[in-house]
Amino acid sequence: MAQAHWGCCPWLVLLCALGAWGHPKSVDLTAEDVRNCLISPPYLPVTVVNTTAQLTALRQQMHIQNLFAYIIPETDAHMSEYIGTRDKRRAWMTGFTGSAGTAVVTMGKAGLWTDSRYWTQAERQMDCNWELHKEVDTASIVVWLLTEVPAGKRVGFDPFLFSIGSWESYNMALMNSNIKLVSITPNLVDQAWGSEKPLVLSQPIYVLQEAFTGNTWQKKVSDIRSQMQKHPQAPTAVLLSALDETAWLFNLRGSDIPYNPFFYSYTLLTDSSIRLFVNRSCLNSETLKYLNSSCTGSMCVQVEDYSQVRHNVQAYASGNVKIWIGTSYTTYGLYEVIPTEKLIEDTYSPVMVTKAVKNSKEQALLRASHVRDAVAVIRYLVWLEKNVPKGTVDEFSGAELLNKFRGKEQFSSGPSFETISASGLNAALAHYSPTKELHRKLSSDEMYLLDSGGQYWDGTTDITRTVHWGTPSAFQKEAYTRVLIGNIDLSRLVFPANTSGRMMEVFARRALWDVGLNYGHGTGHGIGNFLCVHEWPVGFQYNNIPMAKGMFTSIEPGYYQDGEFGIRLEDVALVVEAKTKYPGSYLTFEVVSLVPYDRNLIDVSLLSPEQLQYLNHYYQTIREKVGPELQQRQLLEEFEWLQQHTEPLSAKAPHTAPLASLLAVSSLAILGCRV
């Protein structure tokens, strides 16, 4: 792609693009020449953060520790997808607030490594103290370190911000370089940040009501202990580091992390004791009683201070023990204090694997949350149809309104991630999200991609729909329909039990591949019950576990035409038993997302009879599950919209046909169809 040049007055051009004297407009997010540190004096946008004081303070700490370089990743001590303000060390250090990237500071230089989504943002936010490296892999950071760090010097890192895999990558690459990688605690950025660092807020940790849980915490603890007893290596303890593991195990929730109902915690579950490491001040007397914290038996939870986890694990590891960990979420900070011979390592802990399979109660809860979520999304789509033609809706205000609609739903607890509300060319950026300052208006002449979700006490939701209110081009319709075909083909797939998701995701891409199209992101991820919206280890990637009955996964193929439009259709589906002609253990998917696709973008002539049959059955399911909910609430306009947008499609009549004449045909056509 050709580089964009801002000319002699780049900030003036940027202000014009942003619509500084009017409504914000689209900005070319691929533009690179936002700052210029090579001229004298250097050109810097007004959005740049002066980081001289931060770097000076950090280098003082590095000098005390005899370090020549220090690595600053963007994560927390639990490898969380979303991190709290107190953990945004890289953002404080660099001024760059993007969600992905690693900073490295030496005694003379500073560099940031991030991916293409954030290049322009980084240029706008970082001053000339920083070099921007347009790569993200560890190897490129190591090459830079080998160039900048003299032989015999030390490179430091906080072990609680390094996964085991990250530490191994750096350690192996530097092993023969005469440069030593050193684990340093406490965190040096925290030391430099000092009193300005945000305080740890004592947010209440609360008990999730029994009506919204699959089992009691006592039953869950007993189940994990049973797995320990059956394990061939006889572990005496399981160490839990991911925040959703402890939240799930004890049926507790909190608000320490954006978008996820979690609290900072660790758990050390042994064959005879339970230790919960947490900020005790966040637990009220009722919660402490709920955890049986006043006793010391095998089913009593001993509440320990969060900061003491490393010391406690090290002390426990000094005995005749075996500690079972999931390497994906255990940081090097705990890993390094456990002797190798006392470790039992799996990619995922038994808790992570167990909670991936929902029991019948959890399945019912998640289904119910998706019905209410569909109501919120449908209300928003109806509102858009009326207001977009007026030219008064933009990406950001639209996303805010959808959040309000979700907030009115029963058991709502906020969004499950930052809404992707993308119009026209912005939708070609798969993970674009608007801001109050940077957004585009929605237009009837452009596609609009909406990827959003909600947190509810009974479930977590995630759904993507792409719509066009005007006249889409033939290519847009074909691309959309092929994405839809991929969604349908994977959703209706029958496959043997224990099949890996990566073995079947090709079905979501085949219709696109047939004509030379593709998409560059994953095809789906697991989803939790009022937990993570991206819940591992379920999904279609190489490092996901095989599919099993009771798992929930998203199915989300897409297509993105650079600089023009983007398409994604995402549904959440439950893995269920399949009915096959011959006996066997086979599975399929039951889609639980319940919002119709945009019939204005469907080229029915591209659908096979089986795909059309599936689609009409899905629409009938939406009517049956969401229609009564709309009627009960007297949302009559939304109910009428739903009826119109779920009319059965016919290969001979791709556009809306009279409802009465098609219902009878649909009823016959869908008999025996599997969803």
Side-chain angles (χ1 to χ4, degrees):
M1 181 180 295
Q3 294 186 0
H5 296 277
W6 293 97
C8 64
C9 192
W11 188 245
L12 180 61
V13 176
L14 181 59
L15 284 173
C16 293
L18 286 169
W21 296 281
H23 192 87
K25 298 181 180 179
S26 171
V27 172
D28 180 5
L29 297 180
T30 63
E32 297 178 0
D33 299 332
V34 178
R35 66 174 182 166
N36 190 340
C37 294
L38 301 179
I39 61 175
S40 181
Y43 165 72
L44 294 175
V46 296
T47 48
V48 155
V49 176
N50 186 333
T51 62
T52 300
Q54 291 94 305
L55 286 166
T56 300
L58 177 61
R59 285 172 175 143
Q60 288 174 350
Q61 296 297 324
M62 291 165 58
H63 176 73
I64 293 170
Q65 296 288 342
N66 190 26
L67 299 176
F68 191 85
Y70 191 69
I71 304 171
I72 310 166
E74 179 74 1
T75 187
D76 65 8
H78 308 275
M79 302 291 106
S80 302
E81 179 180 8
Y82 304 108
I83 62 176
T85 304
R86 61 175 263 190
D87 290 311
K88 294 185 177 181
R89 300 174 178 91
R90 192 221 59 214
W92 179 79
M93 198 77 240
T94 66
F96 166 62
T97 59
S99 63
T102 300
V104 182
V105 176
T106 72
M107 296 306 289
K109 288 188 177 181
L112 173 81
W113 284 255
T114 191
D115 64 64
S116 58
R117 293 175 295 164
Y118 299 108
W119 292 346
T120 299
Q121 181 180 346
E123 290 278 10
R124 291 175 183 153
Q125 293 181 320
M126 295 195 309
D127 64 11
C128 291
N129 286 311
W130 292 89
E131 300 174 355
L132 174 61
H133 297 265
K134 299 178 178 180
E135 298 172 282
V136 293
D137 59 301
T138 301
S140 64
I141 298 176
V142 169
V143 168
W144 188 82
L145 285 170
L146 291 172
T147 302
E148 299 295 333
V149 179
K153 297 296 185 179
R154 303 182 350 141
V155 175
F157 69 98
D158 180 346
F160 281 95
L161 300 184
F162 266 50
S163 67
I164 297 170
S166 293
W167 171 79
E168 289 175 339
S169 296
Y170 282 101
N171 191 54
M172 289 293 293
L174 294 172
M175 186 174 293
N176 299 318
S177 66
N178 200 22
I179 296 174
K180 188 174 182 181
L181 188 64
V182 185
S183 168
I184 299 289
T185 56
N187 187 281
L188 298 192
V189 175
D190 290 351
Q191 301 290 95
W193 208 341
S195 61
E196 294 182 6
K197 183 181 177 181
L199 297 174
V200 179
L201 300 178
S202 298
Q203 300 289 346
I205 298 171
Y206 58 93
V207 178
L208 190 60
Q209 297 176 30
E210 186 177 345
F212 302 111
T213 64
N215 277 311
T216 64
W217 70 260
Q218 291 91 342
K219 174 68 171 61
K220 292 178 180 180
V221 165
S222 297
D223 180 47
I224 300 304
R225 281 178 171 158
S226 176
Q227 294 183 47
M228 292 165 58
Q229 293 168 2
K230 296 175 183 177
H231 195 287
Q233 297 184 56
T236 61
V238 172
L239 176 61
L240 305 179
S241 294
L243 298 183
D244 57 332
E245 293 178 313
T246 291
W248 175 86
L249 183 65
F250 296 112
N251 296 326
L252 296 174
R253 299 295 188 269
S255 55
D256 289 347
I257 301 294
Y259 304 115
N260 290 331
F262 304 149
F263 49 94
Y264 293 111
S265 58
Y266 295 95
T267 297
L268 183 64
L269 172 63
T270 79
D271 47 12
S272 60
S273 66
I274 310 168
R275 301 185 203 179
L276 171 62
F277 300 89
V278 71
N279 182 352
R280 189 184 182 95
S281 66
C282 298
L283 301 169
N284 62 27
S285 58
E286 291 183 1
T287 305
L288 290 170
K289 182 179 180 181
Y290 162 83
L291 293 171
N292 298 335
S293 65
S294 60
C295 57
T296 57
S298 64
M299 295 304 291
C300 303
V301 180
Q302 302 169 38
V303 178
E304 308 275 1
D305 188 81
Y306 174 82
S307 65
Q308 294 302 305
V309 62
R310 180 175 161 114
H311 171 76
N312 273 259
V313 169
Q314 188 170 22
Y316 179 79
S318 67
N320 182 24
V321 299
K322 286 277 190 177
I323 303 176
W324 192 2
I325 66 169
T327 56
S328 291
Y329 290 92
T330 304
T331 65
Y332 186 69
L334 296 179
Y335 182 81
E336 69 174 338
V337 300
I338 306 173
T340 303
E341 67 275 11
K342 298 183 179 183
L343 274 169
I344 298 174
E345 301 179 39
D346 280 323
T347 304
Y348 303 105
S349 78
V351 166
M352 194 68 79
V353 174
T354 300
K355 73 179 176 60
V357 178
K358 278 62 175 173
N359 62 29
S360 57
K361 182 181 178 182
E362 291 168 323
Q363 293 173 27
L365 288 167
L366 255 171
R367 283 194 183 98
S369 71
H370 280 272
V371 172
R372 298 193 309 279
D373 195 69
V375 171
V377 175
I378 288 170
R379 292 184 68 185
Y380 179 58
L381 292 175
V382 171
W383 184 89
L384 287 177
E385 277 195 12
K386 292 188 299 183
N387 289 279
V388 168
K390 300 176 184 177
T392 58
V393 187
D394 64 63
E395 296 166 330
F396 184 75
S397 65
E400 284 194 315
L401 180 62
L402 177 57
N403 287 339
K404 290 180 180 178
F405 281 139
R406 276 201 171 97
K408 295 178 181 179
E409 293 301 316
Q410 191 176 26
F411 310 137
S412 174
S413 188
S416 57
F417 59 97
E418 186 177 17
T419 298
I420 297 172
S421 172
S423 177
L425 78 170
N426 284 343
L429 303 168
H431 300 100
Y432 164 88
S433 289
T435 66
K436 189 174 183 179
E437 297 78 22
L438 181 60
H439 53 258
R440 301 182 77 239
K441 280 188 178 180
L442 273 58
S443 168
S444 297
D445 299 322
E446 293 183 320
M447 279 193 179
Y448 174 58
L449 188 155
L450 176 71
D451 185 349
S452 65
Q455 290 284 11
Y456 304 91
W457 295 346
D458 49 352
T460 303
T461 68
D462 185 1
I463 184 170
T464 307
R465 290 295 182 263
T466 306
V467 297
H468 195 304
W469 299 283
T471 304
S473 69
F475 176 59
Q476 289 175 329
K477 291 188 67 171
E478 178 182 1
Y480 181 96
T481 306
R482 290 186 179 277
V483 171
L484 175 60
I485 289 171
N487 185 299
I488 291 173
D489 284 352
L490 184 51
S491 298
R492 63 188 293 269
L493 182 67
V494 175
F495 54 92
N498 295 315
T499 299
S500 171
R502 66 185 177 87
M503 299 295 293
M504 62 180 80
E505 73 112 34
V506 64
F507 286 89
R509 299 180 186 268
R510 184 173 59 178
L512 290 164
W513 285 359
D514 282 344
V515 293
L517 304 178
N518 201 4
Y519 54 94
H521 55 73
T523 297
H525 54 80
I527 195 162
N529 281 79
F530 192 32
L531 289 167
C532 288
V533 70
H534 303 127
E535 183 178 78
W536 289 81
V538 177
F540 298 94
Q541 300 183 51
Y542 74 94
N543 53 352
N544 292 134
I545 61 177
M547 293 289 178
K549 179 183 175 182
M551 292 179 174
F552 281 84
T553 181
S554 71
I555 295 175
E556 48 182 304
Y559 175 72
Y560 309 90
Q561 184 71 17
D562 287 347
E564 295 185 27
F565 64 88
I567 301 164
R568 186 161 61 252
L569 296 174
E570 177 185 16
D571 294 306
V572 172
L574 168 65
V575 181
V576 297
E577 290 184 4
K579 296 179 181 179
T580 55
K581 181 178 180 180
Y582 301 104
S585 183
Y586 285 82
L587 303 172
T588 188
F589 296 105
E590 174 195 333
V591 173
V592 299
S593 300
L594 297 167
V595 177
Y597 310 113
D598 185 4
R599 54 203 301 127
N600 187 39
L601 282 164
I602 300 175
D603 182 350
V604 180
S605 68
L606 295 176
L607 301 178
S608 70
E610 294 79 11
Q611 292 159 352
L612 184 61
Q613 183 184 43
Y614 171 93
L615 185 56
N616 283 333
H617 182 266
Y618 174 59
Y619 278 0
Q620 183 64 26
T621 300
I622 294 176
R623 286 187 171 206
E624 293 172 355
K625 294 183 180 296
V626 182
E629 188 78 12
L630 294 172
Q631 288 179 304
Q632 181 181 344
R633 300 197 211 171
Q634 294 296 303
L635 296 172
L636 302 183
E637 184 179 11
E638 287 79 4
F639 177 76
E640 179 61 28
W641 181 94
L642 181 68
Q643 294 296 101
Q644 292 175 359
H645 285 74
T646 55
E647 289 182 3
L649 292 165
S650 168
K652 294 182 180 180
H655 300 294
T656 303
L659 176 62
S661 63
L662 288 176
L663 277 177
V665 176
S666 173
S667 299
L668 294 174
I670 64 177
L671 290 177
C673 180
R674 178 182 58 254
V675 178

